[in-house]
Amino acid sequence: MSGRRSRSKQSSVSSITDDQITDLVSKLQHLIPELRRRRFDKVSTSKVLQETCNYIRSLHREVEDLSDRLSQLLASTDSDSDQAAIIRSLLMQ
Amino acid sequence: MASFTPNLEPAPDTSLQFKPKKPRITLQTPSSCPPNQRIQRIKRWRTQRDQHIYSSKLFQALRRSRRTSASREVHETADRVLAVLAKGTTRWGRAILTARKVTKHKKAKLPTNNRLRKPDIYRERRKTPAVERKLKVLGRLVPGCRKLSFSNLIEETSDYIAALEMQVRAMTAITEFLCGGTGGGPQPPADRLPSNVNS
């Protein structure tokens, strides 16, 4: 069964055209703020992937920082139930 | 309890607004025609509505849990709520949700990789080894995407990046609220997160 699967994967890999690849890479490039300014230059696939990895890592770090601050804030505002009620009603639709 | 008429448009948008208000796309009815689905997928995570839904769910989850004194717990909760909102349509979402049940010992490399090595001959003609390496790194960064094909990996990455950006925006907004909204903390650089001014 997996033999069949690897064979079908083989055929699907060879059917990806270069155009599709550059298409997908340019789509990715559009999402990365670093590379969005250089949209009209040719940015190599390797560079796009590198910047993507860097960007995802920086986003992870930001979320880490934010959760750090949030955990501290939550620990300190736990007693304030009035504020929590106001926040909840503001955040909910 | 004061009765607020929750209005999405005016008041809650005092939170950091990185982009002007976008028209809300309803994600409930899956239309059969592909262009609509593509638009829905592209606009996902980027609307104010999505961000508000996420913020409120995250806030509720954080209030409910008693162990939010650890930053790791907060991070995991944030990721989990994000994955739940993806409604199982993305691989990274499913990977986050299933990973919580498994302990962290699951780092063993599966031997079935060898069988998938056969198509390498075809792949190397188009992509250099450097690109291959970076693809692998990318596959490790996005949860659950280690063995995806090239196009699937790019799709998952695009969605994952959009979701992460929304996560940052929402968590920043929550932090702002908890600080009393008086700017009691450093704000993230607004130019890094996408602002949709020219669209």
Side-chain angles (χ1 to χ4, degrees):
Chain A
M1 188 90 77
S2 49
R4 210 184 312 148
R5 200 177 300 150
S6 74
R7 228 168 291 139
S8 65
K9 211 173 168 82
Q10 212 171 357
S11 61
S12 73
V13 165
S14 57
S15 72
I16 293 181
T17 63
D18 278 343
D19 278 346
Q20 281 178 303
I21 292 179
T22 47
D23 215 22
L24 288 170
V25 168
S26 66
K27 172 182 169 188
L28 197 54
Q29 182 182 342
H30 182 70
L31 292 173
I32 318 275
E34 291 287 324
L35 302 176
R36 209 178 286 156
R37 305 172 224 138
R38 296 190 245 159
R39 203 181 326 175
F40 303 110
D41 303 341
K42 274 276 163 70
V43 185
S44 68
T45 304
S46 161
K47 176 118 173 100
V48 171
L49 291 177
Q50 181 71 53
E51 291 299 326
T52 308
C53 295
N54 293 344
Y55 187 51
I56 291 185
R57 273 192 277 248
S58 74
L59 283 176
H60 279 167
R61 270 197 309 264
E62 255 191 272
V63 174
E64 283 279 339
D65 277 348
L66 281 171
S67 16
D68 210 22
R69 286 175 61 197
L70 262 182
S71 63
Q72 290 167 5
L73 283 175
L74 282 174
S76 60
T77 60
D78 243 346
S79 48
D80 198 356
S81 58
D82 278 344
Q83 190 186 25
I86 293 174
I87 292 170
R88 215 174 298 135
S89 46
L90 276 178
L91 285 176
M92 283 196 264
Q93 318 179 33
Chain B
M1 184 155 76
S3 59
F4 279 98
T5 45
N7 241 334
L8 248 193
E9 297 312 298
D13 287 341
T14 55
S15 60
L16 289 176
Q17 197 154 354
F18 296 110
K19 50 163 54 77
K21 278 168 251 176
K22 300 180 67 74
R24 274 179 243 149
I25 312 282
T26 51
L27 297 175
Q28 289 100 359
T29 56
S31 60
S32 53
C33 104
N36 274 359
Q37 277 180 350
R38 280 220 65 196
I39 293 175
Q40 284 172 4
R41 230 179 332 135
I42 292 175
K43 294 297 188 218
R44 192 159 92 150
W45 309 119
R46 288 188 182 94
T47 60
Q48 285 285 337
R49 178 191 171 86
D50 284 345
Q51 186 178 329
H52 281 293
I53 294 176
Y54 178 69
S55 305
S56 66
K57 287 212 183 307
L58 174 58
F59 190 72
Q60 288 169 18
L62 289 175
R63 299 293 305 178
R64 268 201 307 264
S65 155
R66 281 187 213 134
R67 301 168 57 201
T68 50
S69 49
S71 116
R72 179 190 197 76
E73 290 291 330
V74 174
H75 194 171
E76 284 180 6
T77 307
D79 281 346
R80 191 164 35 95
V81 177
L82 200 64
V84 165
L85 274 189
K87 293 198 180 85
T89 54
T90 59
R91 186 172 281 260
W92 59 262
R94 295 192 291 268
I96 288 181
L97 291 177
T98 53
R100 279 177 66 85
K101 298 185 190 156
V102 181
T103 60
K104 305 220 174 66
H105 304 309
K106 205 188 83 151
K107 285 284 186 180
K109 275 213 166 140
L110 299 173
T112 53
N113 255 332
N114 298 329
R115 251 171 274 173
L116 294 177
R117 279 292 150 212
K118 273 190 213 146
D120 244 19
I121 309 171
Y122 294 90
R123 256 186 257 156
E124 273 180 22
R125 294 227 183 98
R126 291 192 200 88
K127 299 180 212 126
T128 63
V131 170
E132 283 284 336
R133 261 198 325 248
K134 299 196 160 85
L135 278 176
K136 215 185 281 190
V137 172
L138 187 60
R140 278 205 309 263
L141 279 176
V142 183
C145 295
R146 282 174 205 230
K147 287 194 233 169
L148 283 193
S149 67
F150 181 78
S151 53
N152 285 341
L153 181 56
I154 303 285
E155 288 290 330
E156 289 285 325
T157 306
S158 321
D159 196 64
Y160 188 55
I161 287 181
L164 278 182
E165 286 167 348
M166 186 200 75
Q167 189 178 35
V168 169
R169 286 198 299 270
M171 288 177 76
T172 309
I174 294 182
T175 312
E176 281 263 305
F177 275 124
L178 287 179
C179 281
T182 51
Q187 302 190 356
D191 57 349
R192 276 188 59 240
L193 294 171
S195 60
N196 210 4
V197 194
N198 49 6
S199 149

